[in-house]
C-alpha cells in the first residue's frame, strides 16, 4: 500500500491506514481488537479498512423463542467467517484455537502473551463486569495485554476508552460460557502477526465481492436484502397489530440495541463501510468504486433514519432510547465514575419501559407506517449501492 512521499511536513495517513496508536476503545470489538494486534506488530491499518476486508456489510434476521424479539446482525457473516476473511486480507494464516478445558484455555492464553505480548480472545459479555450486560453474548472479542504483577489481575483493552482489568476467574468464566448466542469455547486467535502486510488489490476486490454477494445473492430469505424484506414484514406486523404492548416495546428496544448500540450496529457499520470505500477508491484509483462512495453515504443515512424511527423523539419510547444511549456512553467512557453513572441510569430503565408500554397503543399505526417506509428506504439504498459495486469486485 503506497504512502505519501515525505515533504518535511506532517502527512495525512495514507488511505486505509491509521496513523494513531490507540491502545483502547474502538468502534467494533473484532475490528478494533484486530487493529490493535496488527498495530502492535507494525501494521497500522484503519478499523474501517479491516471491516471492509472482512466483507463489510450484511444483514441477518434470526428469530428467537416465541414472544422474544429477533436478533438482528448487520455485518457480513459472523465469527469465524468474517474473521478469517479479515486475516486473509492482510496475508495472515489465522488459527482459531478452541477448547472445552478452562485450564487449557488459560495455558494457551499464557503462551500467547509470552510469544506476542498480547492475546485476542472471545468472551461472553454477560460475565465482563465493566459492560453491565443483562443478556448473554459470547461473540465478544477483546485483547488481553498481560497480568498486573501486584494484583494478579489481567489487563484488558476493549471498546471502553480506558484500560480495564479482570480477575483471572472472571475472564475464565466469560471464556467458558456455554450460553447462546455464540458460546466462545475459550476461542483465541493465533497468527504470525509480524508477517501481516497491507492488502493487495485482489484482496480489496474480493472483499467487495463478498459484500455484494451477501446482500444481493443470499443463500436464504433471512439474509441480505431478502432478510431486510423479512424484517420489514415482521416488524411492521408486530408493531401494528400482532403483539401485546409489552412485546412491541421490547422488540423496538432490542432492535435499537442491535442496530445502534451493539458493537456498531447497522448504521455504524454502514458509516464504516462508506469510509472503507472512500479509502479503497483512492488506493485503486477506480471510478466505479468512487461513484459508489456517495451511495454508501446515502445508505448510512438511511440506516440512521431507521434507528431514529424505532424509538422516536418526543415520546416515551424516545426517552427510553435516550436512556439506553446514555448508559452505553457511560460504560464506554471507561472510568469508575462513569460506571457508577451507568448503573444509576439502569435503575430507571424499568420505569421508562412502563411509560412506553402505556403509550404504545396510541402510536402503533403511525409508528408501523414510519418503520415500513424507513426499512423500505434502506432496502432501496443498499440495493443500489451493491449493484453499483458489483463490477468493481471483478476489476471491470
Amino acid at each position: 500500500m503506497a504512502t505519501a512521499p515525505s515533504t518535511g511536513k506532517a502527512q495525512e495517513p495514507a488511505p486505509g491506514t491509521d496513523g494513531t496508536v490507540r491502545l483502547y476503545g474502538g468502534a467494533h470489538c473484532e475490528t478494533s481488537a484486530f487493529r490493535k494486534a496488527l498495530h502492535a506488530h507494525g501494521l497500522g491499518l484503519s478499523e474501517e479498512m479491516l471491516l471492509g476486508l472482512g466483507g463489510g456489510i450484511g444483514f441477518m434476521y434470526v428469530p428467537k423463542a416465541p414472544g422474544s424479539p429477533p436478533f438482528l446482525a448487520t455485518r457480513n457473516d459472523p465469527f469465524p467467517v468474517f474473521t478469517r476473511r479479515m486475516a486473509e486480507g492482510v496475508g495472515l494464516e489465522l488459527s482459531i484455537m478452541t477448547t472445552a478445558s478452562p485450564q487449557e484455555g488459560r495455558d494457551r492464553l499464557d503462551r500467547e502473551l509470552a510469544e506476542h505480548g498480547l492475546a485476542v480472545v472471545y468472551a461472553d459479555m454477560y460475565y465482563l463486569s465493566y459492560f453491565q450486560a443483562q443478556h448473554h453474548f459470547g461473540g465478544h472479542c477483546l485483547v488481553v495485554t498481560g497480568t498486573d504483577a501486584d494484583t494478579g489481575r489481567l489487563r484488558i483493552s476493549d471498546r471502553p476508552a480506558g484500560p480495564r482489568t479482570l480477575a483471572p476467574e472472571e475472564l475464565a468464566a466469560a471464556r467458558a460460557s456455554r450460553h447462546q448466542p455464540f458460546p466462545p469455547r475459550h476461542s483465541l486467535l493465533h497468527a504470525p502477526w509480524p508477517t501481516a502486510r497491507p492488502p493487495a488489490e485482489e484482496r480489496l476486490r474480493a472483499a467487495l465481492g463478498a459484500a455484494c454477494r451477501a446482500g444481493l445473492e443470499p443463500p436464504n430469505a433471512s439474509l441480505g436484502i431478502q432478510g431486510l424484506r423479512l424484517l420489514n414484514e415482521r416488524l411492521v406486523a408486530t408493531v401494528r397489530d400482532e403483539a401485546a404492548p409489552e412485546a412491541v416495546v421490547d422488540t423496538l428496544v432490542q432492535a435499537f440495541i442491535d442496530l445502534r448500540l451493539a458493537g456498531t450496529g447497522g448504521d455504524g457499520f454502514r458509516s464504516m463501510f462508506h469510509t472503507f470505500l472512500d479509502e479503497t477508491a483512492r488506493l485503486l484509483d477506480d471510478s466505479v468504486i468512487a461513484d459508489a462512495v456517495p451511495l454508501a453515504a446515502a445508505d448510512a443515512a438511511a440506516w440512521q433514519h431507521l434507528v431514529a424511527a424505532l424509538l422516536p423523539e418526543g415520546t416515551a419510547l424516545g426517552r427510553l432510547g435516550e436512556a439506553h444511549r446514555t448508559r452505553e456512553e457511560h460504560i464506554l467512557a471507561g472510568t469508575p465514575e462513569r460506571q457508577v453513572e451507568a448503573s444509576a441510569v439502569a435503575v430507571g430503565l424499568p420505569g421508562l419501559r412502563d411509560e412506553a408500554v402505556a403509550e404504545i397503543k396510541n402510536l402503533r399505526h403511525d409508528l408501523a407506517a414510519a418503520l415500513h417506509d424507513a426499512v423500505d428506504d434502506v432496502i432501496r439504498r443498499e440495493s443500489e449501492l451493491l449493484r453499483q459495486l458489483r463490477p468493481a469486485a471483478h476489476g471491470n
Side-chain angles (χ1 to χ4, degrees):
M1 185 178 296
T3 56
S6 176
T7 63
K9 299 180 181 180
Q11 298 292 321
E12 290 293 321
T17 65
D18 186 343
T20 304
V21 179
R22 295 191 306 278
L23 300 178
Y24 307 100
H28 172 59
C29 66
E30 270 191 306
T31 52
S32 64
F34 217 81
R35 187 198 68 79
K36 293 164 191 172
L38 292 176
H39 218 303
H41 292 89
L43 182 60
L45 293 185
S46 70
E47 203 173 332
E48 292 83 358
M49 176 57 66
L50 291 170
L51 173 78
L53 288 172
I57 54 176
F59 184 76
M60 179 168 58
Y61 182 99
V62 184
K64 292 186 182 178
S68 298
F71 172 68
L72 309 179
T74 57
R75 190 188 68 185
N76 182 5
D77 284 321
F79 168 84
V81 179
F82 171 89
T83 320
R84 289 193 185 281
R85 269 199 306 256
M86 188 166 53
E88 291 168 358
V90 294
L92 286 179
E93 184 174 344
L94 185 68
S95 297
I96 300 173
M97 306 175 72
T98 63
T99 178
S101 165
Q103 184 58 56
E104 178 62 21
R106 180 58 200 255
D107 291 344
R108 287 175 175 174
L109 173 62
D110 290 340
R111 289 196 294 270
E112 190 73 10
L113 289 171
E115 181 178 355
H116 291 299
L118 57 77
V120 180
V121 304
Y122 288 77
D124 185 340
M125 292 179 69
Y126 182 84
Y127 295 105
L128 304 177
S129 55
Y130 53 84
F131 276 123
Q132 302 180 13
Q134 303 300 307
H135 302 284
H136 291 278
F137 179 76
H140 184 72
C141 187
L142 57 91
V143 179
V144 182
T145 61
T147 303
D148 186 279
D150 296 327
T151 66
R153 292 176 67 84
L154 295 165
R155 296 190 297 270
I156 303 297
S157 173
D158 205 331
R159 289 191 62 226
R164 312 304 297 167
T165 65
L166 294 171
E169 57 270 22
E170 187 177 358
L171 181 61
R175 297 183 67 205
S177 172
R178 297 183 179 183
H179 291 279
Q180 297 290 344
F182 313 124
R185 299 188 301 153
H186 300 278
S187 293
L188 180 150
L189 303 186
H190 179 75
W193 299 106
T195 68
R197 57 186 182 272
E201 178 175 350
E202 60 267 25
R203 291 298 185 187
L204 291 166
R205 295 194 183 278
L208 293 174
C212 292
R213 287 190 299 274
L216 300 175
E217 304 168 21
N220 64 63
S222 67
L223 301 175
I225 299 300
Q226 291 185 51
L228 284 167
R229 293 193 178 102
L230 182 63
L231 169 68
N232 208 5
E233 173 189 324
R234 296 191 178 176
L235 182 61
V236 168
T238 295
V239 173
R240 186 181 56 214
D241 51 25
E242 283 191 1
E246 293 83 358
V248 173
V249 171
D250 291 344
T251 295
L252 292 171
V253 169
Q254 189 58 52
F256 176 81
I257 291 171
D258 288 344
L259 299 183
R260 184 63 186 90
L261 301 183
T264 58
D267 65 327
F269 279 133
R270 269 62 186 177
S271 295
M272 291 177 72
F273 193 67
H274 169 235
T275 301
F276 163 71
L277 290 180
D278 183 56
E279 293 172 345
T280 301
R282 288 184 285 147
L283 284 168
L284 302 184
D285 191 23
D286 188 315
S287 61
V288 172
I289 303 174
D291 289 343
V293 172
L295 299 180
D299 184 40
W303 277 90
Q304 291 160 10
H305 176 70
L306 169 58
V307 169
L310 289 165
L311 304 175
E313 291 185 3
T315 67
L317 281 170
R319 292 190 293 275
L320 180 57
E322 183 58 32
H324 276 284
R325 183 167 28 237
T326 299
R327 177 177 174 271
E328 180 83 354
E329 289 172 355
H330 287 320
I331 289 171
L332 294 183
T335 66
E337 296 79 11
R338 297 290 289 276
Q339 289 281 307
V340 173
E341 293 183 42
S343 297
V345 173
V347 170
L349 290 176
L352 290 169
R353 176 184 179 272
D354 290 343
E355 292 177 17
V357 168
E359 176 193 66
I360 198 68
K361 179 179 179 181
N362 296 326
L363 295 178
R364 294 180 80 136
H365 181 271
D366 290 344
L367 185 56
L371 289 170
H372 174 274
D373 291 347
V375 179
D376 201 51
D377 191 41
V378 164
I379 292 170
R380 181 172 64 86
R381 301 283 187 179
E382 197 142 302
S383 298
E384 184 180 11
L385 167 64
L386 297 175
R387 285 195 294 267
Q388 167 67 26
L389 281 175
R390 187 181 259 162
H394 305 290
N396 297 333

